Amino acid sequence: MGLIQRILEERGISTVSISLNLAITKKVKPPRVLYPGFSLGHPLGRAHDREIQLRVLQDALGLLEMDLQPGEVVIRSY
Amino acid sequence: MGKFKRLKNQTFAKVYTKIPSLVDLYAKQADLVVNTTTPFTPLKKPLEKCRISLITTGGVHTESQKPFDMADKKGDPSYREISSDIDVEQLTITHDYYNHADALADPNLVLPIDPLSELLQQGKIGAIGPRFFSFMGHIMGDHIKTLNQETAPEVAAALIGDGVDAAFLTPT
């Protein structure tokens, strides 16, 4: 996923992604990343929990407007 | 790949989901692409004026689309286009390398179509791109080259053609 993200960014599309594992993210170095501490298969938190899904998506998109360094990972707890 | 090997992969996926520290071990020993620099495109306008698209590597596709190839142990670097006005109940998942029971029950867990619509209704984003894109995030060997040189650039070009300003991506 990080490889796809990097290609989009190289071609002029701003991107933000979720990380489910910091060790993998550290190697791939995608442009902007939110690490919410969820397990594999659960990037938006929990099934049918619209409130947490909305918060995670909104927070992640919010990273696009923050003054971040390329490759910076923002860690939040939900 | 036979039924037994697929079952083995699906079982490993469930174990990895239950024990996150195993993923750390995998990351340390796996032959992952290691990058030293990061491309960066600053957002060109406020988020409330941006057109947003979604991309997942969760193996999501519609019932009528060809499933991702589970027989090739190096994975499947192709992608599926998903119309952004689709009802999430029309989506299914083909991906043996993560436990997608919860995502199948609620595809918004990996491709947040309904939450994105809600952000549009709230005026937090300007528009939603006409289509989303789904990959199957288990790509190895020479399929990485196909992803890097063919399929991911195709998706980038499609997003640019759609006038998309920013994309939200989810791994699984």
Side-chain angles (χ1 to χ4, degrees), chain B residues 48-116:
Chain B
E48 62 190 34
K49 293 189 183 303
C50 285
R51 180 173 293 184
I52 308 294
S53 187
L54 303 175
I55 296 171
T56 185
T57 54
V60 177
H61 58 91
T62 66
E63 294 279 4
S64 61
Q65 287 173 325
K66 185 182 171 189
F68 289 96
D69 181 5
M70 292 297 112
D72 187 337
K73 64 182 179 185
K74 291 183 294 185
D76 181 347
S78 67
Y79 60 88
R80 307 289 179 268
E81 288 185 19
I82 296 169
S83 176
S84 60
D85 61 2
I86 197 166
D87 184 332
V88 293
E89 290 184 2
Q90 294 177 42
L91 296 172
T92 188
I93 294 173
T94 303
H95 196 319
D96 287 350
Y97 302 93
Y98 77 101
N99 181 359
H100 56 258
D102 288 343
L104 196 57
D106 177 14
N108 288 303
L109 186 58
V110 295
L111 193 68
I113 294 174
D114 294 335
L116 190 68

Side-chain angles (χ1 to χ4, degrees), chain B residues 110-133:
Chain B
V110 295
L111 193 68
I113 294 174
D114 294 335
L116 190 68
S117 293
E118 206 163 323
L119 290 184
L120 178 65
Q121 286 163 17
Q122 292 175 7
K124 303 268 173 60
I125 60 171
I128 296 173
R131 50 190 165 165
F132 304 137
F133 295 88

Side-chain angles (χ1 to χ4, degrees), chain A residues 15-55:
Chain A
T15 64
V16 60
S17 67
I18 297 294
S19 168
L20 297 176
N21 182 273
L22 288 173
I24 294 174
T25 300
K26 201 173 166 185
K27 285 188 173 181
V28 180
K29 292 186 173 52
R32 292 173 207 77
V33 179
L34 174 67
Y35 177 77
F38 299 136
S39 61
L40 293 188
H42 300 74
L44 274 291
R46 288 184 287 274
H48 302 298
D49 187 337
R50 180 59 53 78
E51 189 186 330
I52 198 167
Q53 292 174 0
L54 197 60
R55 273 174 55 209

